[in-house]
Amino acid sequence: MGMGRIGVGLRRWVASVGCVAVLLLCGARGQAEGPVPETEAMRARVDGIIAKMTLEEKIDYIGGTGFAVRAVPRLGLPAFEMSDGPFGTRSNAGFPSTTYAAGIGLAATWNRELAEKVGAGIGRDARARGVHYMLGPGVNIYRSPRNGRNFEYFGEDPFLSAAMTTGYITGMQREGVSATVKHFMGNNSEFLRHDSDSVIDERTLREIYLQPFEAAVRRAHVGAIMDSYNLTNGLHMTQNGYFNTEVARKEWGFNGVMMSDWDATYDGVAAANGALDLEMPRGRYMNQKSLLPAVKSGQVSEATIDEKVRRILLTAARFGWLDRDQRDSTISAYDAKNEAVALQSARESMVLLKNEGGVLPLDKARTKSVLVVGPDAYPGVPVGGGSAGVRPFHTVSLLEGLGAQMGSSGAVYYERGVPTLMQLVRETEFTTEPSGGQPGVKLEVFGNRDFSGAPLASTIVRSIDGMAFNEESLSASPALAELRRNQRADGSGRIIADVARRWTGYYVVPAAGRYLMALQGGGEGSPSRAFVDDKLVMDDWTLVRAIQPHVTMELTAGPHKIVVEDTQRSLAGGRTKLGIVAEEKVVSAKVKEMAAKADAVIVSVGYDSDSESEGGDRTFELPFGQAELIGAMAAANKKTIVAVTSGGNVASAEWIDKVPAYIEAWYGGQEGGKALAEVLFGEVNPSGKLPATFEAKAEDNPTFANYYPQGDSIKVDYKEGIFVGYRGYEHNHVKPLYPFGYGLSYTTFKFSKLAVAADGAKATVSFDVTNTGKRAGAEVAEVYVSDDHAKVTRPAKELRGFEKVTLAPGETKHVSVALDDRAFAYYDVDAKTWKIEPGRFGILVGDSSEAPELKGSVDISPAAASAGAF
Ligand code: BGC
């Protein structure tokens, strides 16, 4: 490990000094292409370019064009291309790329070097595609499992998140590609993401939410920051001078490009003065129309506009983009080297949460048949939805991974076990009247978003399926055709219109009992809701609480009125759909039969790009039918192993005691199924640790009561303050199901010989880690600091260091973890600085946040206690 660190340090140094002196380390390109510090010469060059630009040209320049900073051929400026992000290069043209384990999985590896390798791999893929800016990493803190984008982020702890952020950006930028750390900041949920106002107190901001961004700027020297959609403490981030100017630029010294999230700018003048450099994806607000008069009237100075252009061009100069072609022809479009990195990221991300009776790893000699079931078993689900939906060249599903593992030693059977939502929708039969109507539902389409006036069209359709809307109703309705003619088309050619739709039908329940109803909503911009017998049962109208919600209801026999409503901003159809099934029928009879006969059953459940995605949150409960599937499999086969694909915790209370083994697999990228199969059969010993606490029930989460705004307010009050994640569970004395930092291995480890040495306001913590079992494996040594003497209330403990240690059976390694002076500090709001209160600090070392094995202490003396530097 020591050598690893030296290696990393040396590489960083090479990246920053260039390759002249150390040619050998620079690989095939013969030249380090990471960013270099700004120089006088660069400044002079850039100012020379700015001097040649007209004010109009400069204003145009700070509005993007799709996924690029525009080219200015007259001045020889190329376009600077961008790509999502964050776990592969996501081309808008749909060209695939290597897809790595998504953020939360990468955080679960607790492997900084791996984060750096992933960053570098993506950087190389970006270079092969001529991309200058990668739109990642996403580093927003995990407050609640409901956030639809947790899968992109690095979990609940700011120290772990900062470490992964630093590694990822360092690796990427070394390849000459700017990372874009996002979403700055307070963007910790996806409902109402354009309008919600995150109300966060200063200490919480500093100690929790700003940390990964601060690391990105100060440690990794990130080239770009993306301002998020939401407001924080009353102002939209794209016009929030406090965060953009005071904190990022002045305090942290950020000298890169501050760009907006896509359509996250709401006021051109305010954004211009609020330190936004680049409006994406186009200058909808920061444009000539708003800024020319503003410059003329003195509301915005021309120097302010110049500074934005300067930031963009200086970043380009520092990364060498003004002097080289960003497309690196020495790198293959499919860089096979990266496949190994993608596989490693998936392998190390898997967290083994439960393994009763050592049911895992499966023994090939005794396991002759494995049944794999569930929606995530096949095809593979490499990543969640939204802009992070990278398209891999290939994906190894769990079914394929298991098949490859078993080889000729046994057979792998597959059955999905539960219907797809589309199947459910098609199989759900409605009638237009409680009795005597015709088959189907009535669809009414309104030319507004509030169902006012008479519908433009009314028709009978077979199912509640938004996609069926266009063809059937447009052609039938002259009023709709008229609406279509009158509406604007946006750049994509989509017809933009205000449309509200209502489906009304009757579902005839054959026999009283429990029924599952599942809804697919359209997420942001397309709210939906469902009523049963005029009672609202699923409500994603003002807050998209879950993109794919479901409910279980007791229904009496006979007809029940079902109404689904949605609104659309376009005449493109939309995703809204709804299906109903009797609870006892949701799991197929066939799969139950098969389960009873197999030697083991692997249930691969969780979410996918339709149910966990940006633009809306997700359910805490697994998607419809999945808990029932686990229950049915566990009833049929004692060796039922559950693997969950998700961006965070899920409700498990219903089934956790019925199954002997449980693995959190996150979104494993293209190699996810292979890695999971290797873990199941013991070819890989799991070493992942939870980057977020897994609560026993939803209400236990420290944000549960204040996750949503109250009433009509847009304010999301972060009332839990610094007590987010394990800090909150410990503070509230709530025992989680699985604590932060937890994860099992197929071997056992022991920590011993703790020694702590203070060095001013810093300390070194050293100890031994021994593999006491019979298999090689890796353990994460987690170092927590506690402070019970400070004047302010502090968390019971906070992660301040960690080291991943790989050990052969019986092997012991001595580990040293350096704690910087931020390790002992809290943010003093009155003094506006980090503060260490001298005295004795507890040092706790172990393999999770709960009950660390080693306990020691360190005295930080008054002389040393004024620091707190990062
Ligand atoms: C997302 C960003 C993404 C951008 C471009 C936005 O909707 O919030 O994370 O980078 O789109 O695709």
Side-chain angles (χ1 to χ4, degrees):
M1 239 168 331
M3 279 307 288
R5 288 241 165 277
I6 291 169
V8 170
L10 193 55
R11 286 200 305 277
R12 273 185 201 138
W13 176 72
V14 170
S16 60
V17 299
C19 279
V20 188
V22 273
L23 262 173
L24 270 177
L25 288 157
C26 295
R29 276 175 270 157
Q31 191 180 331
E33 297 192 332
V36 293
E38 260 172 51
T39 63
E40 269 315 313
M42 276 180 211
R43 278 191 274 269
R45 179 180 183 190
V46 163
D47 283 344
I49 301 173
I50 296 174
K52 289 192 199 128
M53 294 171 95
T54 63
L55 178 59
E56 287 78 2
E57 262 176 331
K58 288 187 278 194
I59 292 174
D60 286 351
Y61 198 63
I62 61 173
T65 55
F67 277 77
V69 175
R70 68 185 59 230
V72 188
R74 183 176 83 77
L75 300 169
L77 292 175
F80 303 125
E81 303 289 341
M82 302 175 182
S83 166
D84 278 308
F87 296 98
T89 51
R90 176 172 181 265
S91 145
N92 289 310
F95 187 65
S97 86
T98 301
T99 307
Y100 304 80
I104 188 98
L106 189 58
T109 71
W110 294 59
N111 185 338
R112 299 174 176 90
E113 283 78 18
L114 181 54
E116 204 168 316
K117 275 205 229 170
V118 167
I122 299 169
R124 285 173 61 81
D125 285 338
R127 290 299 305 274
R129 289 158 178 72
V131 172
H132 301 79
Y133 289 97
M134 282 303 303
L135 304 177
V139 304
N140 300 84
I141 293 286
Y142 177 126
R143 283 179 78 220
S144 155
R146 290 168 198 268
N147 179 9
R149 293 189 90 166
N150 277 336
F151 74 91
E152 297 183 46
Y153 305 149
F154 293 136
E156 74 184 24
D157 180 74
F159 184 88
L160 175 63
S161 177
M164 303 314 284
T165 302
T166 306
Y168 177 103
I169 296 173
T170 304
M172 176 174 283
Q173 296 200 158
R174 203 169 52 227
E175 299 299 326
V177 174
S178 171
T180 306
V181 69
K182 67 188 188 184
H183 307 87
F184 190 58
M185 56 100 22
N187 185 189
N188 306 92
S189 48
E190 284 297 293
F191 61 80
L192 221 63
R193 68 173 171 167
H194 285 268
D195 304 308
S196 62
D197 181 7
S198 301
V199 181
I200 315 175
D201 69 82
E202 183 75 14
R203 182 171 167 212
T204 303
L205 282 168
R206 299 289 179 161
E207 292 188 22
I208 309 286
Y209 296 97
L210 288 171
Q211 292 276 309
F213 294 101
E214 185 177 4
V217 174
R218 290 188 144 160
R219 294 208 177 123
H221 311 291
V222 73
I225 296 178
M226 183 188 288
D227 273 341
S228 54
Y229 289 110
N230 56 289
L231 302 85
T232 299
N233 294 342
L235 270 186
H236 266 117
M237 283 305 303
T238 44
Q239 56 201 63
N240 205 320
Y242 174 67
F243 293 104
N244 295 340
T245 308
E246 298 306 318
V247 176
R249 290 240 185 263
K250 293 194 185 155
E251 282 184 39
W252 300 343
F254 175 59
N255 64 356
V257 175
M258 189 74 76
M259 75 173 78
S260 72
D261 199 342
W262 268 231
D263 292 313
T265 309
Y266 307 88
D267 178 329
V269 171
N273 286 329
L276 186 72
D277 297 320
L278 181 63
E279 180 180 356
M280 296 304 295
R282 61 186 179 280
R284 197 166 149 206
Y285 291 94
M286 291 211 303
N287 55 27
Q288 292 193 30
K289 194 164 161 239
S290 71
L291 294 182
L292 280 176
V295 171
K296 211 165 175 194
S297 69
Q299 252 185 308
V300 176
S301 72
E302 186 161 355
T304 298
I305 307 285
D306 286 356
E307 185 56 16
K308 299 178 193 307
V309 179
R310 187 175 292 117
R311 285 293 126 221
I312 299 170
L313 292 178
L314 272 172
T315 302
R318 290 198 303 109
F319 277 82
W321 303 336
L322 298 178
D323 300 308
R324 65 152 194 261
D325 186 357
Q326 183 68 350
R327 192 176 297 273
D328 186 334
S329 55
T330 67
I331 305 173
S332 302
Y334 180 68
D335 187 351
K337 272 203 290 259
N338 288 341
E339 190 167 310
V341 181
L343 179 57
Q344 192 190 349
S345 69
R347 281 176 174 158
E348 292 194 33
S349 72
M350 305 286 159
V351 184
L352 177 61
L353 293 169
K354 181 171 182 185
N355 192 15
E356 217 168 63
V359 63
L360 291 176
L362 295 171
D363 178 357
K364 273 186 205 164
R366 281 188 291 165
T367 315
K368 292 298 165 199
S369 61
V370 171
L371 169 66
V372 58
V373 304
D376 293 78
Y378 180 83
V381 183
V383 72
S387 59
V390 176
R391 195 177 136 215
F393 283 100
H394 66 260
T395 305
V396 185
S397 66
L398 179 58
L399 171 60
E400 292 157 279
L402 286 170
Q405 272 297 311
M406 286 285 258
S408 52
S409 75
V412 181
Y413 311 123
Y414 165 78
E415 186 64 29
R416 196 172 195 276
V418 286
T420 65
L421 184 55
M422 205 55 229
Q423 284 167 337
L424 201 67
V425 169
R426 295 215 176 104
E427 284 161 16
T428 307
E429 290 178 359
F430 295 101
T431 56
T432 56
E433 301 295 335
S435 64
Q438 36 172 319
V441 283
K442 180 167 75 178
L443 165 62
E444 295 164 295
V445 184
F446 297 79
N448 51 55
R449 286 168 76 88
D450 59 7
F451 300 94
S452 55
L456 298 180
S458 181
T459 180
I460 308 292
V461 291
R462 215 195 142 274
S463 314
I464 300 180
D465 176 8
M467 291 313 280
F469 153 62
N470 260 2
E471 293 78 343
E472 291 184 49
S473 46
L474 268 181
S475 51
S477 157
L480 265 183
E482 174 72 15
L483 177 70
R484 177 178 214 182
R485 273 194 298 278
N486 293 342
Q487 298 298 321
R488 285 174 298 118
D490 71 2
S492 68
R494 284 188 330 157
I495 307 295
I496 297 301
D498 281 329
V499 175
R501 303 183 291 182
R502 180 181 292 134
W503 289 262
T504 309
Y506 291 82
Y507 180 74
V508 183
V509 170
R514 287 165 66 80
Y515 284 77
L516 274 173
M517 180 193 260
L519 175 70
Q520 174 74 54
E524 171 184 53
S526 175
S528 54
R529 59 186 169 195
F531 301 81
V532 176
D533 297 327
D534 298 320
K535 195 171 146 240
L536 184 61
V537 293
M538 284 180 277
D539 182 8
D540 279 337
W541 204 248
T542 38
L543 307 179
V544 183
R545 287 187 164 82
I547 284 186
Q548 198 185 87
H550 69 273
V551 282
T552 309
M553 304 163 296
E554 288 283 348
L555 292 180
T556 52
H560 290 270
K561 185 178 172 195
I562 309 292
V563 175
V564 173
E565 294 177 340
D566 77 358
T567 71
Q568 298 285 325
R569 277 198 302 227
S570 100
L571 289 183
R575 299 199 299 169
T576 308
K577 39 180 105 54
L578 178 129
I580 306 174
V581 62
E583 192 184 51
E584 85 248 12
K585 291 210 175 125
V586 72
V587 179
S588 78
K590 188 170 164 206
V591 80
K592 293 182 196 168
E593 236 174 73
M594 289 169 85
K597 291 186 194 142
D599 290 337
V601 181
I602 321 283
V603 194
S604 178
V605 289
Y607 304 80
D608 59 21
S609 55
D610 284 333
S611 49
E612 190 162 26
S613 171
E614 76 175 83
D617 279 354
R618 69 147 163 95
T619 51
F620 182 56
E621 296 73 32
L622 285 166
F624 79 94
Q626 298 189 7
E628 289 78 3
L629 178 63
I630 298 173
M633 295 300 93
N637 192 309
K638 281 206 306 285
K639 254 194 190 179
T640 289
I641 294 137
V642 175
V644 172
T645 293
S646 67
N649 192 22
V650 302
S652 60
E654 238 181 273
W655 46 263
I656 188 69
D657 294 331
K658 298 182 190 155
V659 298
Y662 174 19
I663 296 182
E664 175 57 60
W666 318 109
Y667 291 91
Q670 65 180 46
E671 307 297 329
K674 178 173 176 160
L676 179 53
E678 289 172 338
V679 165
L680 290 167
F681 276 97
E683 199 170 304
V684 166
N685 191 351
S687 62
K689 302 278 180 179
L690 287 182
T693 310
F694 275 21
E695 53 272 75
K697 46 188 200 306
E699 305 83 62
D700 291 348
N701 184 284
T703 72
F704 185 77
N706 51 291
Y707 185 68
Y708 297 110
Q710 300 299 311
D712 291 339
S713 167
I714 54 160
K715 288 192 189 307
V716 180
D717 212 337
Y718 285 39
K719 278 192 190 142
E720 73 285 357
I722 56 169
F723 297 105
V724 63
Y726 64 92
R727 291 166 173 79
Y729 291 89
E730 296 188 358
H731 186 69
N732 302 339
H733 303 289
V734 171
K735 194 173 158 52
L737 181 62
Y738 299 112
F740 172 79
Y742 175 84
L744 300 170
S745 165
Y746 295 146
T747 185
T748 47
F749 300 96
K750 190 170 155 283
F751 294 89
S752 59
K753 298 193 187 149
L754 175 66
V756 191
D759 168 17
K762 302 182 186 172
T764 304
V765 180
S766 54
F767 48 89
D768 282 355
V769 189
T770 305
N771 181 347
T772 49
K774 294 196 181 71
R775 279 170 187 266
E779 176 64 306
V780 178
E782 304 167 25
V783 180
Y784 296 86
V785 172
S786 70
D787 173 2
D788 54 15
H789 62 268
K791 283 197 284 290
V792 296
T793 312
R794 300 200 63 181
K797 63 174 93 65
E798 297 186 273
L799 183 76
R800 296 303 197 210
F802 64 87
E803 203 60 69
K804 191 162 188 170
V805 196
T806 302
L807 295 161
E811 192 187 1
T812 296
K813 273 187 189 161
H814 188 67
V815 176
S816 276
V817 174
L819 302 184
D820 62 19
D821 37 10
R822 191 66 74 85
F824 302 102
Y826 65 87
Y827 190 78
D828 183 335
V829 179
D830 297 328
K832 294 205 171 308
T833 184
W834 291 90
K835 182 162 186 180
I836 301 174
E837 282 183 25
R840 179 156 295 182
F841 290 82
I843 302 290
L844 308 145
V845 180
D847 62 358
S848 88
S849 57
E850 204 171 76
E853 226 175 297
L854 303 179
K855 290 189 178 145
S857 63
V858 63
D859 292 323
I860 300 292
S861 65
S866 61
F870 198 49

